[in-house]
Amino acid sequence: MKSFREMLPSDVVLATASDEGQDAPLLDGEAETVLNASPKRQRSFALGRDCARRALGDLGLDVCAILSGPRGEPLWPQGVTGSITHRSGFWAAAVAPSSVCLAIGIDAELNHPLPAPLREKVVGEASLPTPLTGIHWEAVVFSAKEATFKARRPEQISLFDFLGIELSLDPRRQTFQARLNEAEAWPLRTISGVFATAGTLILTAALIPRPPP
Ligand SMILES: CC(C)(COP(=O)(O)OP(=O)(O)OC[C@H]1O[C@@H](n2cnc3c(N)ncnc32)[C@H](O)[C@@H]1OP(=O)(O)O)[C@@H](O)C(=O)NCCC(=O)NCCS
């Protein structure tokens, strides 16, 4: 069982939270995003923002509102990239200077079999690794594709299609490679990532490092 901290390089800063019944404040501009959402969603959004602010603080940035873009993506301060996930009483945000990473995507999903219609959309006819006790590969594929989705440019997102991503898993190394359609490739055609189980969750992270100059 691993944590995002152990899965990601040290120059990616992480903040996590688990549910202790706590709330978190929203800053100006953020509340509008979830104005019409349920109280549960508003709280979840706020706790994700709280993780993001703590992570940005550890990077040395001042407290700031993190608004959402038109496709739901968090809008990070200049010079920073990052990602947020929340699932079943767990929240996490990962941030890094843009000088280190072009993009990050993190995701947490329940380590459960997927409902048949979702499985069809996400896995299709692709073959999965040999069954292993304690891990549902289809949930890993789903989460890895979600992490890959979050690590991509928002303007490419309308092109996103779960089956359009060819995913290969390395169960021994706990890594994955997500191969994108040519039209969607930015700045790489293949995005690398890592996965792990953590309690009832599958955690995945996709990282696009800045290429050396
Ligand atoms: C957006 C999406 C990736 C969120 O993933 P999820 O597993 O449902 O939820 P998570 O808690 O892990 O992540 C939610 C966070 O992702 C981030 N996010 C949302 N949209 C995003 C985007 N377009 N890019 C990057 N990050 C995004 C947000 O920070 C969001 O939390 P917030 O709204 O509180 O800020 C997912 O709902 C989705 O839409 N996937 C793509 C599905 C798709 O395109 N299918 C088409 C083929 S069937």
Side-chain angles (χ1 to χ4, degrees), residues 41 44-45 49 68 71-74 84-87 106-109 121 146 149-150 157 160-162:
R41 165 68 180 133
S44 197
F45 179 82
R49 285 319 192 252
S68 302
R71 294 175 174 94
E73 72 282 10
I84 297 172
T85 188
H86 24 83
R87 180 71 58 231
I106 61 169
D107 190 70
E109 295 295 338
K121 268 190 187 169
E146 293 276 64
F149 173 87
K150 292 181 190 177
I157 279 167
F160 187 83
D161 158 25
F162 273 123

Side-chain angles (χ1 to χ4, degrees), residues 13-17 50-56 58 91-95 106:
V13 177
L14 271 152
T16 62
D50 186 61
C51 287
R53 267 189 273 286
R54 282 190 281 121
L56 290 172
D58 287 348
W91 291 262
V95 299
I106 61 169

